[in-house]
Amino acid sequence: MSAPHVIVIGGGLAGLSAAVALADAGVRISLFEKSPRLGGRAASYVLASGEHIDNCQHVTLGCCTSLEDFYSRLGVGPKIAYYDRLTFAESTGRRAAMKASGLPAPLHLLPAFVIFPFLKWKDKHAIARAMLRIVSSGGRPRLPVPMSMLDWLKQQRQTKPAIDRFWRTVLVSALNEELVRIDAGYGIGVFWKAFLSNPKGFVVGIPSVALAELYASCTERIERNGGRVRTRCGVAELQIRSGRAIRVRLDEGSEVDADYCVAAVTFDRLLKILPEKLQGEQPFSSLRQLHVSPITSVHVWFDQTVMSEPFLTSMDQTIQWVFNKTKLHRQDVSQPGQYLQIVVSASYGLSGRPQQEIVDLCRQELAQLIPATREAKLLRSVVIRENAATFSPEPGCDSWRPQQRTAIRNLLLAGDWTQTGWPATMESAVRSGYQAAEAILAQEGRPARLVQRELPATGLARWFARA
């Protein structure tokens, strides 16, 4: 019996994880990616100067188990550097570190929280009360109706400084959305999975190489079993006949037949390639209820070293994260100059502003956050705006997110916007790809478990997780 032929539409993390997992199982893959490179929104490219640049800094956490598995599958696990210390900074230049102690979960961050200098005792007391609510419910407090994270925090009587300087600092970056537009379930889940249930959860993993290098082996792994990968090759139409996805028509006009098809594109792109009749049917018609949120990254090169930390989290500025790319990529620090990347999630306030204005704003804030930049010369800068970086985790959005399986048995969906139990993250994208691959293998009579179990609750937290 010959191996089935699976078409994967889209070469982002969802498409790549599905394609590689299926190829490893001996399935023949044809992957079509519209852009010139693999990686989707987690891609990198080469500047005219010859330097590699990521479209935006992507990080993983210790709780992202399926993403870790995907990196291991590709053999690039050693290219992810892990950091167990988070450094927060004020615009005054003050710093404070958050690091786990030897106490069991959920108390492992308690000592660092108690001495955290940027919050007053009344703010910490309010935060501790809300954290206790999260822990006592095992990360799943009852929410009678979908509500925003901001409304939930107000219900928990959080002080304004606690909201602005703690909850917003963490969640806007983690979920790429403002608190008023974050489903409380997702916001609560971030703290349970990353900060409370297991000390490993909040460990930050950052690639020590350009993102493109992480996916370099994907093409070879797919082609090993007679598959192929085509970039600069978009799909114009997904053709459905008698309840089956039979072929795709490419942008250049040719058609390719398939036994299965995994649509691993954004939800708006999916609607454009589906037959018109299907666009009005569930679950596809609900996709119009989903919205997107933007991320802006600003890349700056200085003529001298200005920053020693690998990364900083800013608590009270437009700037949210500053990544020391020179150090993270382990470049020769004896050479003059330093490359930093600034990330602003949910960057609605920067939409429509000229690039130079954004650079000037970041330069002003860097002067407060990192005083050494005041005397340094800015050699060049690049602004990258992803206006549709992720889907928005709005209250109630789970009712619009489809499963990977569809009524068309050989058509599977993949993408961080599908039902994964996670918000718009790289972990969600990989989980969706693995789930689509599992569905195909199950139909072929070769069931396999690809999605990794979530990081287990440990210490005292495991007793609440069982509740």
Side-chain angles (χ1 to χ4, degrees), residues 196-213:
L196 295 170
S197 64
N198 189 308
K200 182 185 174 184
F202 90 109
V203 174
V204 176
I206 303 178
S208 59
V209 296
L211 290 172
E213 191 171 329

Side-chain angles (χ1 to χ4, degrees), residues 131-174:
M131 290 292 190
L132 182 59
R133 176 82 188 280
I134 294 174
V135 170
S136 63
S137 67
R140 299 181 301 275
R142 287 190 177 181
L143 303 174
V145 294
M147 67 172 62
S148 74
M149 189 65 190
L150 184 60
D151 285 342
W152 187 82
L153 292 174
K154 289 178 178 178
Q155 279 191 359
Q156 308 309 309
R157 305 191 309 279
Q158 297 300 287
T159 64
K160 189 175 187 304
I163 292 173
D164 292 341
R165 298 172 68 83
F166 179 76
W167 298 100
R168 180 170 285 114
T169 297
V170 173
L171 291 176
V172 172
S173 294

Side-chain angles (χ1 to χ4, degrees), residues 227-244:
R228 59 176 172 167
V229 173
R230 291 183 61 184
T231 56
R232 301 182 189 270
C233 183
V235 169
E237 181 187 9
L238 177 58
Q239 298 181 5
I240 311 292
R241 297 287 187 275
S242 302
R244 288 184 60 82

